[in-house]
Amino acid sequence: RPRKLVFKVVLLGESAVGKSSIVTRFTRDEFNQYKESTIGAAFLTKEIAIDASNTVNLNIWDTAGQERYKSLAPMYYRNAEAAVVVYDITQAASFERAKSWIKELQRQAEPNIIIALAGNKTDLADRRTVSKEEGAAYAATAGLLFFETSAQSGENVGELFVSLAKKIPWP
Ligand code: GTP
Ligand code: MG
């Protein structure tokens, strides 16, 4: 019998790593080079077919990465089934910030939350400062899904959300 579930997903990460761009690529298959920094948070939804009989409606909260919005984050990750923590592969500081978001989620979010780590902007490989191995090794140690993505080219963006949706335990 066909089943349809609603899952809440939150995106976290430093400002300008490309959270909104990843969500826009995923929900509308568009990319904007001059994307404005998010104020507060943005809400988007996308339906994905898991297989012939199972559909997931992702309710996506795209949070604002600027420091002044930091205290709002718990409102968005509370009760979330899944989180995507994003860093920019050309900005090592954003990888450190991603690790601190992951620690906060592991302490404060739902104990069973599924977390994916996403190293974004693979199209800028010539400016890379965080290796794929470094990202993958951290993700393995912390028990996270790991993807390197490009919101610009679309690389791995669909795969990221589909893998996440498939990993959420169905009631
Ligand atoms: P806040 O809303 O401030 O937290 O930032 P954000 O994480 O939502 O970043 P946003 O999506 O606004 O992207 C920041 C900048 O990076 C924009 O100029 C985007 O066009 C650019 N950008 C995002 N993803 C990519 C990517 O995969 N490749 C390249 N080259 N640029 C990207
Ligand atoms: Mg944004």
Side-chain angles (χ1 to χ4, degrees):
R1 173 167 90 70
R3 292 203 297 169
K4 193 163 174 168
L5 284 186
V6 179
F7 290 143
K8 178 178 170 186
V9 182
V10 63
L11 275 89
L12 296 164
E14 194 166 281
S15 183
V17 295
K19 298 178 296 298
S20 300
S21 299
I22 288 171
V23 173
T24 303
R25 171 61 74 192
F26 180 58
T27 58
R28 296 208 301 264
D29 201 16
E30 287 168 7
F31 177 77
N32 177 0
Q33 199 182 333
Y34 305 105
K35 188 113 195 137
E36 289 152 27
S37 191
T38 305
I39 296 167
F43 178 73
L44 297 100
T45 65
K46 168 97 171 170
E47 193 170 284
I48 49 179
I50 294 294
D51 55 42
S53 57
N54 296 302
T55 306
V56 169
N57 199 36
L58 293 181
N59 281 356
I60 304 172
W61 285 98
D62 167 26
T63 68
Q66 288 181 41
E67 196 58 30
R68 71 183 117 138
Y69 298 113
K70 190 184 162 2
S71 62
L72 299 180
M75 255 172 24
Y76 299 105
Y77 65 65
R78 192 171 301 143
N79 306 324
E81 276 93 5
V84 180
V85 179
V86 184
Y87 65 95
D88 173 346
I89 64 157
T90 75
Q91 302 290 335
S94 74
F95 182 53
E96 296 310 311
R97 187 70 190 95
K99 292 179 191 172
S100 77
W101 275 123
I102 287 155
K103 287 180 190 127
E104 177 168 340
L105 287 172
Q106 290 181 333
R107 269 198 318 267
Q108 320 252 58
E110 288 292 314
N112 297 326
I113 190 168
I114 308 293
I115 306 173
L117 178 63
N120 189 43
K121 309 199 186 181
T122 51
D123 57 287
L124 303 178
D126 54 333
R127 283 162 43 192
R128 178 192 281 277
T129 58
V130 183
S131 73
K132 186 172 181 177
E133 292 68 31
E134 214 179 325
Y138 178 77
T141 309
L144 321 169
L145 290 169
F146 177 68
F147 289 91
E148 283 198 338
T149 59
S150 169
Q152 192 201 65
S153 73
E155 181 185 26
N156 268 343
V157 171
E159 290 80 351
L160 164 71
F161 287 99
V162 171
S163 301
L164 204 59
K166 286 185 171 167
K167 218 176 164 215
I168 298 169
W170 284 49

